[in-house]
Amino acid sequence: DCSFCSTGNQGFQPDLTPDEIIGQLWVANQSYMEDVALDDRTRSVTNVVMMGMGEPLLNFKPVVKAMSLMLDDFAYGMSKRRVTLSTSGVVPMMDKLSEELDVALAISLHAPNDALRNELVPINKKYPLAQLIGAAQRYIRKDGNESARKHVTIEYVMLDGVNDHAEHAQQLIQLLKDLPSKINLIPFNPFPHAPYGRSSRNRIIAFQKALSDAGFVCTIRQTRGDDIDAACGQLVGQV
């Protein structure tokens, strides 16, 4: 129910099964060099992120089964650093995930304080920022081995005049000061009747500079697919 996400407005539909999830990877791999014999292929999918349509941790068992196949040396043999689960912050299931798998973690944060995040990401009312950051810290430090999971990726959509001010950058710096993290700024992808606009390029760059100056690795995501309403947050489509 993130307020800036068109995808979430389509309502709940059935959970994906493990075979439906792994099937997407199979189809993606098949799409590379379709006219080339299997033994001659030189490209394959190297990175997978569980995100997009729905909350992965609310479909826990099928997601874990599918990711396990991706990591298995007798299946896809992908690197655990290249398989990422993105969550809006289902704290109990984050702790459960740390017991099941060692994969990269991303958090759809989008706000540096509880009042604003309650509006943008309503699950924050159930699991506020203090709990979320604590769960992320536990995930990284599972078994006391910080090298196993070196950082969390923070996803932050840039909404014009909403969460992109200088004070928001400073609040974010304070929020993440004890959490090893990389920050990915996402220019908002508009959709019909959206209550938000995209932050200007200058404001996004200024926000990035503030975070970089504070010592964070901070990137700006390149927008792809918005010409056909297929970018991040637009996956409801024109149907």
Side-chain angles (χ1 to χ4, degrees):
D1 289 333
C2 297
S3 60
F4 53 84
C5 181
S6 176
T7 311
N9 291 333
Q10 69 181 326
F12 178 75
Q13 295 171 9
D15 284 327
L16 293 177
T17 60
D19 55 295
E20 289 172 325
I21 298 170
I22 204 71
Q24 295 182 47
L25 177 57
W26 186 88
V27 169
N29 267 323
Q30 291 294 107
S31 72
Y32 286 124
M33 302 171 65
E34 289 181 333
D35 298 328
V36 179
L38 185 62
D39 291 341
D40 296 332
R41 292 184 181 179
T42 58
R43 294 186 66 191
S44 62
V45 174
T46 58
N47 294 64
V48 173
V49 184
M50 297 285 179
M51 66 179 303
M53 303 179 76
E55 166 57 58
L57 290 181
L58 295 182
N59 188 25
F60 187 82
K61 288 184 178 180
V63 165
V64 167
K65 286 182 179 180
M67 287 193 297
S68 296
L69 281 172
M70 294 174 190
L71 298 173
D72 196 311
D73 286 341
F74 291 98
Y76 283 92
M78 301 184 73
S79 165
K80 62 186 179 182
R81 294 293 147 256
R82 294 176 178 267
V83 177
T84 302
L85 184 140
S86 175
T87 179
S88 58
V90 187
V91 167
M93 304 312 289
M94 291 170 65
D95 289 326
K96 188 174 181 181
L97 179 66
S98 72
E99 302 288 340
E100 299 272 347
L101 280 180
D102 181 12
V103 293
L105 182 69
I107 295 175
S108 292
L109 191 68
H110 311 303
N113 61 69
D114 281 320
L116 183 54
R117 196 165 192 265
N118 287 347
E119 173 191 335
L120 299 179
V121 189
I123 198 173
N124 194 73
K125 298 174 184 177
K126 188 170 186 179
Y127 305 114
L129 285 172
Q131 293 184 32
L132 175 56
I133 298 302
Q137 290 170 330
R138 291 192 297 275
Y139 189 86
I140 289 177
R141 295 165 183 162
K142 173 65 179 170
D143 297 329
N145 183 8
E146 292 194 33
S147 64
R149 304 176 174 106
K150 294 182 179 179
H151 69 274
V152 172
T153 298
I154 300 296
E155 296 156 344
Y156 195 97
V157 66
M158 299 297 294
L159 303 171
D160 185 33
V162 176
N163 65 352
D164 60 354
H165 294 290
E167 60 263 34
H168 293 131
Q170 294 305 314
Q171 290 172 11
L172 188 58
I173 290 166
Q174 288 301 309
L175 180 69
L176 301 177
K177 64 181 180 179
D178 296 322
L179 178 66
S181 53
K182 294 182 179 179
I183 303 167
N184 190 3
L185 302 181
I186 307 168
F188 172 65
N189 296 308
F191 54 88
H193 312 298
Y196 307 108
R198 177 183 292 184
S199 301
S200 69
R201 182 71 178 174
N202 286 344
R203 182 161 281 190
I204 295 174
I205 290 173
F207 202 92
Q208 179 193 36
K209 185 177 185 304
L211 295 168
S212 297
D213 288 348
F216 289 94
V217 175
C218 183
T219 59
I220 300 173
R221 180 182 294 177
Q222 180 178 349
T223 297
R224 293 177 176 145
D226 55 339
D227 56 324
I228 56 170
D229 289 333
C232 182
Q234 295 179 323
L235 296 179
V236 65
Q238 297 296 323
V239 295

